Amino acid sequence: MPPGITTLAADTPTLSAANTGFMLICSALVMLMTPALAFFYGGMVRVKSTLNMLMMSFISLGIVTILWVLYGFSVAFGTDIGSVVGWSSDYLGLSGIGITQLWDGYTIPVYVFAVFQLMFAVITPALISGALADRVKFTSWALFITLWVTVVYFPVAHWVWGAGGWLYEMGVIDFAGGTAVHINAGAAALGVILVIGRRVGFKKDPMRPHSLPLVMLGAGLLWFGWFGFNAGSWLGNDDGVGAVMFVNTQVATAAAMLAWLGYEKLRHGSFTTLGAASGAVAGLVAITPSGGAVSPLGAIAVGAIAGVLCAMAVGLKYRFGYDDSLDVVGVHLVGGVAGSLLVGLFATGGVQSEAKGLFYGGGPEQLGKQAVGVFAVLAYSLVVSAVLAFLLDRTIGMRVTEDDEISGIDQGEHAETAYDFSGAGGGAAPRTTSSAPGSTAAAKTKKVDA
C-alpha cells in the first residue's frame, strides 16, 4: 500500500471525483468484511457460543473506530518519529483536516484515506477472536482490543505503510496487509492462547461447526469485500495496478480453494464445505501482500501453495496442544507468512514496483527483505500480545468460569441465545371442547399436540 509519494510542484495532484468515489466504495466493502467475518466465525462454533462470536467481531467496529479518530490515525500515519510511530496533532480527533485536503501525492482527500485505513484497523483485532472462541470474558476482550490496537496495530501499520516507517523504508512489499493485518493477527492469536489455555474438552469433546451455511455465507461475503480490501489499496485507478490486484485476488482465491480441497480429498477422503470456505480465505490472505507484485500465473502459484500449506497447518494444534479454536494461526499466520515470503520468489517487477523475485532474476535480496518484515511483525505481535493477555488474566481475568463455558458463553456473557427453540413444537396447548348445555363435559379441556 503506497503511503504517499513526493511530487513536483507542476505535478501537484488535484482531487479526483472518480478515485474518491472508488475509494469510498472500497472502504464500505472493507467495512462489510467485519460482519462477514462474524458470520464466518459464528457458524464455525458450537450453537451455545454463536452470539459471543458475532459480538467479538462487532465490538471492534465500535472500539477501534473511536480510538482511530482520537489518536490511532495519528500514530499510524502521522509524521514519522524514529521510524517506529507517527504523530501529527492535526490528525488528533481528525480535527485539523480540511475537507478537500488531499492525502500526500494522491487525488483523494485525507478523510477518505483515513476511513479506508480505519476499516483495516477494525478487522485486524476481530481476526484474533476466532482463536479464542468459547472461553473469553467479553469485558476482557473489549479491553484487550483497546490495548492491542494501541500498542501493536497502530505502530505496526506505521512500520509497514507509514512514510518513514522502518519496514517501508527498507523496501518490504506488503500491498494490502500480509504483515500488518494477517501475520499481526495470527501471531497475536497464538500469543493469547498460549496464555489463556485450552477450552474445556479440547481434543476430547466434538466441537464441530453448528452452521456450515452460515460459514459459507461469511466466506462468500469476505471474498466479495476483499476486492475492496486489495484493489483499493493502490488508492486509485490511474495506472492499472489496482486492476491487476483485482484479477490476482480472484485467481489466487480460486487456486487456494481447489488446492485445499485436493489436499483434503487425498488426506481425509472428502471434499468438505468447511474446506472450501477455509481454502478460499487462505488464498485471500496469501494474495493480500503479494498481488501487486506477481502475474496472474504467479497468483495461481501463490494461492495453490498457500492452500496446501494452510490445510496442513490447521492440524498442528492437535500435535502441539495449543487450542486455536477456529484456525486463525493455521490460516492467517501461515497464509500471511507464505504470501509475504512468496513475493521474494514470484515478483515480476514493473507492476507496483521494479523489485523482482528470485524466479525472475532478482536474486535473494527481496526475499531477505520480506523475511525481515515477516519475522519482525510476528515476533513483536506474539510477545506483546502474550504480555497483554497475561496482565489482563492476572488482574481482571481473561476466561469465563468453567460452568459458563460448559453451559454456554452466550447465556453467561450476553444473557441471550442465538436460536429460540421454545416455539418450535413439541409442547402441549389446551383446547376447550363444547358439549350439550349443562353437561359437565363442557367444563373439561382436551389437550392436543401443538
Side-chain angles (χ1 to χ4, degrees):
M1 179 178 299
I5 57 177
T6 302
T7 58
L8 300 176
D11 299 324
T12 300
T14 58
L15 191 149
S16 166
N19 284 341
T20 298
F22 170 72
M23 290 305 302
L24 288 172
I25 292 170
C26 287
S27 300
L29 287 171
V30 183
M31 181 274 167
L32 178 66
M33 292 172 65
T34 297
L37 181 73
F39 291 141
F40 181 68
Y41 282 167
M44 290 175 69
V45 295
R46 291 169 289 180
V47 68
K48 63 183 180 180
S49 302
T50 306
L51 293 180
N52 180 253
M53 201 72 262
L54 296 173
M55 280 291 287
M56 288 179 81
S57 288
F58 266 75
I59 194 63
S60 188
L61 282 162
I63 293 172
V64 179
T65 297
I66 301 303
L67 297 181
W68 187 254
V69 170
L70 293 178
Y71 59 84
F73 183 57
S74 181
V75 173
F77 292 101
T79 302
D80 178 68
I81 300 175
S83 298
V84 178
V85 296
W87 192 257
S88 294
S89 58
D90 286 347
Y91 293 166
L92 296 178
L94 303 184
S95 58
I97 302 170
I99 61 172
T100 59
Q101 179 181 338
L102 299 183
W103 183 242
D104 187 26
Y106 290 88
T107 59
I108 61 173
V110 175
Y111 272 121
V112 175
F113 179 76
V115 78
F116 181 67
Q117 283 293 331
L118 162 62
M119 302 312 173
F120 282 69
V122 165
I123 196 171
T124 304
L127 293 171
I128 302 169
S129 66
L132 317 179
D134 300 324
R135 60 198 189 275
V136 173
K137 292 179 181 177
F138 190 69
T139 301
S140 300
W141 170 244
L143 184 54
F144 177 83
I145 289 178
T146 302
L147 297 172
W148 189 83
V149 295
T150 300
V151 300
V152 178
Y153 182 80
F154 298 158
V156 168
H158 184 77
W159 296 0
V160 175
W161 295 320
W166 71 278
L167 292 179
Y168 175 79
E169 295 298 328
M170 180 185 291
V172 174
I173 293 175
D174 186 353
F175 195 98
T179 53
V181 176
H182 298 289
I183 293 174
N184 205 1
L190 182 59
V192 175
I193 58 182
L194 291 177
V195 170
I196 67 172
R198 309 171 185 177
R199 288 169 291 178
V200 175
F202 176 65
K203 295 202 292 187
K204 296 178 182 178
D205 299 336
M207 297 180 179
R208 293 184 292 270
H210 89 279
S211 176
L212 288 169
L214 200 60
V215 173
M216 295 296 282
L217 172 64
L221 290 173
L222 281 170
W223 193 332
F224 175 68
W226 223 291
F227 290 115
F229 193 88
N230 281 358
S233 289
W234 199 242
L235 307 184
N237 282 316
D238 296 327
D239 56 9
V241 175
V244 172
M245 187 57 169
F246 193 108
V247 171
N248 284 344
T249 298
Q250 177 69 16
V251 169
T253 307
M257 179 179 66
L258 296 176
W260 186 301
L261 288 172
Y263 174 85
E264 191 175 57
K265 177 65 174 178
L266 292 173
R267 183 71 175 82
H268 304 292
S270 300
F271 302 114
T272 69
T273 52
L274 182 59
S278 300
V281 173
L284 291 164
V285 170
I287 202 61
T288 290
S290 58
V294 304
S295 68
L297 289 177
I300 292 176
V302 169
I305 292 169
V308 172
L309 289 179
C310 293
M312 296 171 63
V314 296
L316 294 179
K317 62 184 178 182
Y318 299 110
R319 180 178 300 177
F320 295 108
Y322 61 89
D323 186 6
D324 175 17
S325 305
L326 307 183
D327 301 318
V328 177
V329 175
V331 174
H332 293 277
L333 179 56
V334 173
V337 169
S340 297
L341 293 179
L342 288 172
V343 172
L345 300 180
F346 294 109
T348 62
V351 186
Q352 77 173 91
S353 74
E354 296 302 318
K356 293 184 178 181
L358 187 62
F359 295 166
Y360 287 81
E365 181 180 358
Q366 190 62 43
L367 180 60
K369 293 177 181 179
Q370 297 302 118
V372 171
V374 163
F375 293 109
V377 173
L378 194 161
Y380 179 74
S381 184
L382 175 68
V383 172
V384 176
S385 302
V387 170
L388 291 176
F390 178 82
L391 293 175
L392 289 172
D393 195 44
R394 292 298 183 271
T395 51
I396 64 174
M398 283 286 285
R399 293 189 64 141
V400 299
T401 66
E402 185 172 328
D403 286 345
D404 280 346
E405 185 176 338
I406 293 171
S407 62
I409 194 170
D410 283 0
Q411 191 65 53
E413 289 292 296
H414 306 290
E416 297 173 305
T417 57
Y419 305 101
D420 181 6
F421 298 109
S422 63
R431 183 166 67 187
T432 302
T433 58
S434 59
S435 187
S439 169
T440 56
K444 296 180 180 179
T445 60
K446 178 181 179 182
K447 289 187 177 181
V448 297
D449 289 338

